[in-house]
Amino acid sequence: GLIDTCSAAIADDGTIYFGSNDGKFYALRPDGSLRWEHDFGASAPASNSPALAVDGTIYVKAGDGFLYALNPADGSAKWRFDVHAILSYASPSVAADGTVYQGSGDKSLYAINPDGTLKWAYATDNDIYTVPAIDAAGNLYFGVLNSAKLWSLTSAGTLRWTYSGAALGTSSSPALSADGSTVYFGGYDHKLHAVDSASGTP
């Protein structure tokens, strides 16, 4: 199969994880040999980038719209949660406390507990195709498709601010500066935006 929109993730032990358009998710040893594969089915391509938790759990959003938690030992599913993200290219991100964040094609950002239960969901004004950035305090930063806003939420799911400078919207995942004071993202206006992470001002 073809990796397509997926980037690989590498665990501390050197295992390489990546998904494919053939509906399979692969774990390779550092020498390139197959460790295991998880088959989501041809109708559910796993072409979104995985995220790794501290305990080794692999989180991946499959083409069936569900977020999956996979065991690193054998690729079996610990749980799955319907995040209604069949079309979204958004990949998950994992906070220091183990919370998993996933953007969706239903215009919501989902916060999922490590046990697979819903922590909260926050509704925005359009679909989310970006991967949330997370600062040291647990605050979230993400863009919304065809929306003029960059959004920031607290780890409890309350709105901190929105930045409305990207007039044409974004599908670019934001990045934080080393000190966490600035958040950067690219807009459909062909500009790189730099926003104060505390206030949401340019």
Side-chain angles (χ1 to χ4, degrees), residues 135-150:
D135 68 19
N139 298 311
L140 307 166
Y141 307 88
F142 61 96
V144 175
L145 189 68
N146 298 328
S147 168
K149 299 175 184 175
L150 180 76

Side-chain angles (χ1 to χ4, degrees), residues 64-175:
D64 59 3
F66 284 78
L67 175 70
Y68 287 79
L70 303 182
N71 286 298
D74 59 6
S76 60
K78 293 183 177 183
W79 51 258
R80 69 175 193 164
F81 189 93
D82 190 358
V83 290
H84 310 284
I86 293 174
L87 297 178
S88 175
Y89 294 129
S91 296
S93 56
V94 185
D97 66 358
T99 303
V100 189
Y101 297 101
Q102 174 68 54
S104 176
D106 71 355
K107 304 181 182 181
S108 295
L109 181 73
Y110 287 86
I112 312 297
N113 293 308
D115 64 0
T117 58
L118 179 66
K119 187 173 183 178
W120 50 258
Y122 188 91
T124 67
D125 60 4
N126 215 311
D127 297 348
I128 301 170
Y129 278 35
T130 65
V131 181
I134 308 169
D135 68 19
N139 298 311
L140 307 166
Y141 307 88
F142 61 96
V144 175
L145 189 68
N146 298 328
S147 168
K149 299 175 184 175
L150 180 76
W151 301 67
S152 179
L153 306 179
T154 69
S155 59
T158 57
L159 181 65
R160 296 178 69 224
W161 49 257
T162 59
Y163 163 71
S164 299
L168 302 177
T170 183
S171 59
S172 167
S173 297

Side-chain angles (χ1 to χ4, degrees), residues 14-102:
T15 302
I16 304 161
Y17 299 107
F18 62 95
S20 169
N21 272 343
D22 64 4
K24 294 180 180 179
F25 186 85
Y26 297 91
L28 302 183
R29 297 182 182 92
D31 66 3
S33 61
L34 180 66
R35 184 174 178 190
W36 52 254
E37 64 183 50
H38 182 98
D39 191 353
F40 292 104
S43 62
S47 54
N48 291 60
S49 302
L52 305 181
V54 173
D55 67 359
T57 300
I58 306 119
Y59 297 103
V60 61
K61 199 281 293 179
D64 59 3
F66 284 78
L67 175 70
Y68 287 79
L70 303 182
N71 286 298
D74 59 6
S76 60
K78 293 183 177 183
W79 51 258
R80 69 175 193 164
F81 189 93
D82 190 358
V83 290
H84 310 284
I86 293 174
L87 297 178
S88 175
Y89 294 129
S91 296
S93 56
V94 185
D97 66 358
T99 303
V100 189
Y101 297 101
Q102 174 68 54

